[in-house]
């Protein structure tokens, strides 16, 4: 037996003796154990989340169970407010209007943004950075300014109608925001103008990671612009697509500024949306219970859509 072997045996025995002592601390698992210690790190964030989100949400649910005007004592009505919102056509209409705005705020900008980004990637365009900055400008302008500017553009004597009259299309000129058949579409067009730049920049960032050889090979096979866009670009943008749809859909469903400043829900409720109805019921008409109920249903609807949209990348990765 060598001297090294003689030393190794006592050292191993000493280590086993140290581990077998009653007061010795035994460590198991990865760093961060025990888990109770890890929970202390997330405790501050959980406290803030509880105070500023979960507690107000629970209080809102409690208020939705009362008929209350905001001043006098409320009357318990249980789920009647939910029944009224879901059964009353007048209260359901704002949700239908919100779905129409989703098309203009989300679907159309995503399609236009995809086509614009694919066109910029397909061809060499000088001043591409300037173009990106210009199309993104609507995102940094306050919605109050946007609403006032577009209200002037769409006015009966505004630039749009003046341009139509100048080219001999007097029959198309009208009060766009005062006509029930065009008011909601007019607000939707403003939403399209707002969202297209955001989608374009997001998709450009995603396509910049693509290998140009993929497009060159597709062109050699005879693929045209639209075939490249929907067969190559779109599948590679599943994460950016989920982000763009989430941001634009939430913006559409939460729209309040544009409606309040451009039409005030009119004419005849043609542009009333859930967020505007929450304000009117709670602040103007003294129906806090109904207003809170509309807000909760809107929040639930937004959460549902967000969960469904964010499953797009998961479905693609699972294939």
């Amino acid at each position: 037996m060598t001297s090294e072997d003689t030393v190794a045996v006592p050292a191993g025995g000493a280590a086993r003796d140290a581990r077998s002592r009653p007061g010795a601390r035994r460590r198991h698992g990865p760093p961060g154990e025990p888990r109770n210690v890890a929970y202390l790190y997330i405790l501050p964030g959980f406290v803030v989340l509880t105070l500023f989100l979960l507690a107000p949400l629970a209080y809102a649910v409690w208020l939705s169970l009362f008929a209350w005007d905001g001043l006098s004592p409320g009357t318990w009505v249980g789920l009647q407010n939910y029944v009224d919102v879901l059964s009353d056509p007048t209260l359901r209409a704002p949700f239908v209007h919100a779905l129409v705005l989703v098309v203009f705020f989300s679907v159309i900008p995503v399609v236009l943004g995809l086509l614009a980004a694919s066109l910029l990637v397909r061809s060499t365009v000088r001043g591409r950075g300037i173009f990106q900055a210009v199309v993104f400008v609507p995102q940094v302008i306050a919605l109050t300014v946007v609403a006032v500017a577009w209200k002037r553009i769409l006015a009966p004597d505004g630039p749009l109608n003046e341009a139509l009259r100048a080219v001999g299309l007097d029959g198309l000129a009208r009060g766009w925001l005062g006509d029930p058949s065009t008011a909601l579409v007019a607000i939707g067009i403003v939403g399209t103008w707002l969202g297209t730049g955001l989608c374009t920049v997001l998709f450009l960032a995603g396509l910049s990671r693509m290998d140009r050889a993929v497009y060159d090979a597709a062109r050699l096979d005879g693929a045209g612009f639209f075939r490249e866009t929907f067969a190559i670009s779109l599948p590679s943008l599943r994460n950016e697509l989920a982000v763009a749809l989430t941001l634009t859909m939430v913006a559409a469903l939460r729209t309040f500024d544009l409606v309040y400043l451009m039409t005030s829900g009119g004419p005849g409720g043609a542009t009333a949306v859930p967020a505007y109805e929450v304000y009117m019921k709670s602040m103007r008409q003294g129906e806090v219970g109904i207003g809170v109920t509309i807000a909760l249903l809107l929040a639930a609807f937004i959460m549902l859509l967000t969960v469904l949209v964010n499953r797009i990348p998961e479905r693609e990765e699972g294939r």
Side-chain angles (χ1 to χ4, degrees):
M1 179 179 294
T2 64
S3 59
E4 293 180 357
D5 295 335
T6 305
V7 174
V9 173
R16 287 193 296 271
D17 292 340
R19 288 195 298 267
S20 62
R21 293 173 186 171
R25 297 180 60 183
R26 303 182 64 183
R27 187 171 181 176
H28 300 282
E33 296 287 354
R35 294 186 180 275
N36 293 336
V37 176
Y39 291 141
L40 295 178
Y41 291 98
I42 65 173
L43 181 60
F46 180 74
V47 170
V48 173
L49 179 68
T50 301
L51 290 177
F52 295 100
L53 179 62
L54 299 181
L57 181 61
Y59 184 61
V61 174
W62 174 252
L63 288 179
S64 69
L65 304 178
F66 289 84
W68 185 42
D69 60 5
L71 297 174
S72 59
T75 303
W76 173 270
V77 295
L79 298 178
Q80 187 59 44
N81 286 332
Y82 293 89
V83 175
D84 292 341
V85 172
L86 296 175
S87 61
D88 188 344
T90 304
L91 297 177
R92 287 202 313 267
F95 289 91
V96 177
H97 298 160
L99 291 177
V100 173
L101 290 182
V102 167
V103 176
F104 287 96
F105 277 69
S106 183
V107 178
I108 296 178
V110 165
V111 174
L112 294 179
L114 178 63
L115 294 176
S118 299
L119 182 62
L120 290 173
V121 171
R122 180 184 175 89
S123 57
T124 302
V125 181
R126 299 182 63 180
R128 173 174 159 180
I130 298 176
F131 174 79
Q132 294 183 40
V134 171
V135 298
F136 195 74
V137 164
Q139 293 296 316
V140 300
I141 301 177
L143 284 179
T144 302
V145 177
V146 172
V148 173
W150 275 95
K151 185 175 182 179
R152 180 72 188 101
I153 293 172
L154 298 171
D157 58 346
L160 177 58
N161 284 334
E162 291 297 331
L164 291 174
R165 296 187 183 100
V167 297
L169 298 177
D170 303 59
L172 296 179
R174 65 188 66 197
W176 300 96
L177 298 177
D179 188 339
S181 63
T182 60
L184 188 62
V185 174
I187 293 177
I189 291 174
V190 178
T192 300
W193 177 75
L194 285 170
T196 300
L198 172 64
C199 295
T200 301
V201 172
L202 283 174
F203 294 151
L204 276 174
L207 291 177
S208 64
R209 302 193 304 267
M210 290 282 295
D211 188 355
R212 298 286 303 179
V214 177
Y215 289 99
D216 295 338
R219 291 170 192 172
L220 290 175
D221 291 338
F225 170 70
F226 290 101
R227 184 65 178 271
E228 284 184 19
T229 300
F230 294 102
I232 300 176
S233 299
L234 184 59
S236 66
L237 291 173
R238 55 180 179 269
N239 293 318
E240 289 79 6
L241 179 63
V243 173
L245 286 174
T246 300
L247 294 177
T248 53
M249 282 185 176
V250 171
L253 295 173
R254 294 178 55 191
T255 298
F256 172 79
D257 313 62
L258 295 179
V259 172
Y260 179 76
L261 294 172
M262 294 179 68
T263 63
S264 296
T271 59
V273 291
Y276 182 78
E277 283 300 303
V278 172
Y279 165 74
M280 290 298 296
K281 294 296 183 182
S282 301
M283 304 297 179
R284 293 295 187 87
Q285 300 175 7
E287 299 180 28
V288 177
I290 292 292
V292 172
T293 301
I294 295 175
L296 290 173
L297 291 175
L298 176 62
F301 188 51
I302 291 175
M303 291 180 62
L304 176 62
L305 281 182
T306 302
V307 170
L308 293 177
V309 168
N310 281 275
R311 288 181 61 86
I312 293 176
E314 298 176 6
R315 288 198 296 267
E316 293 292 338
E317 291 172 359
R319 291 181 180 178

